[in-house]
Amino acid sequence: MPRITPNLWFDTQGEEAAKFYVSVFPNSKITNVSYYGEDGPRPAGTVLTVEFELDGQPYLALNGGPEFTFNEAVSLSIDCADQEEVDYYWTKLSEGGEEGPCGWLKDKFGLSWQVVPQDLVKLLADPDAGRAQRAMKAMLGMKKIVVAELHKAAGQA
């Protein structure tokens, strides 16, 4: 199967964003930077694309101009092992951005992220429908997901 690479459209901040993302996620790196040439719509020598990896997953940041911006129709979801990981990614990615409901946030570049603890997924799939619904209700009242509060609401404190 061919590899799928998410392409992220920025106005001019693709390199800044890529550097930020690789600083947040472990085992990450910038792998290539390309530049506009003389015939490009932007000044020659300005960054066109930045190829980078976040823990082995390839991404491409394109400085394509102001025509398109991010919205919540597409987000990147982070599968967090525990509250410590939730806290880390929430703090790093929301800095200069915007906290949203139910574990969603927009970073300072406008890209949407879902910071999801594994316990939330397990609680929402609980075979006891009452427990699952109580966890859902608790999540709907949160911005950053707090695992202990989910368990308490579900009756698993």
Side-chain angles (χ1 to χ4, degrees):
M1 179 171 164
R3 182 166 61 176
I4 297 170
T5 302
N7 286 268
L8 307 174
W9 181 294
F10 296 89
D11 181 4
T12 61
Q13 338 71 327
E15 186 174 31
E16 179 187 353
K19 286 178 179 178
F20 172 67
Y21 300 142
V22 301
S23 77
V24 170
F25 292 90
N27 306 313
S28 300
K29 61 186 174 183
I30 292 175
T31 57
N32 190 50
V33 180
S34 68
Y35 301 90
Y36 280 99
E38 294 298 326
D39 294 325
R42 299 254 170 127
T46 60
V47 173
L48 170 61
T49 64
V50 180
E51 296 172 52
F52 62 104
E53 294 179 2
L54 300 181
D55 199 20
Q57 168 65 48
Y59 291 85
L60 183 128
L62 168 69
N63 284 334
E67 292 85 359
F68 302 110
T69 58
F70 296 117
N71 67 46
E72 291 82 357
V74 174
S75 62
L76 301 178
S77 184
I78 307 167
D79 180 27
C80 297
D82 54 28
Q83 188 67 52
E84 184 178 358
E85 280 191 1
V86 168
D87 294 346
Y88 170 79
Y89 289 112
W90 188 267
T91 299
K92 292 287 188 181
L93 292 169
S94 67
E95 185 177 319
E98 178 183 327
E99 295 183 355
C102 307
W104 288 58
L105 63 86
K106 284 186 184 180
D107 66 27
K108 61 187 170 185
F109 304 102
L111 183 59
S112 292
W113 296 84
Q114 297 177 55
V115 184
V116 183
Q118 292 173 0
D119 281 13
L120 172 62
V121 176
K122 291 176 190 169
L123 284 168
L124 295 179
D126 194 301
D128 180 324
R131 244 190 315 253
Q133 289 303 306
R134 290 189 300 273
M136 171 69 81
K137 184 177 180 181
M139 182 216 40
L140 291 172
M142 296 179 187
K143 287 192 175 200
K144 177 179 76 174
I145 303 299
V146 179
V147 174
E149 290 181 23
L150 290 176
H151 283 285
K152 183 178 177 183
Q156 295 181 331

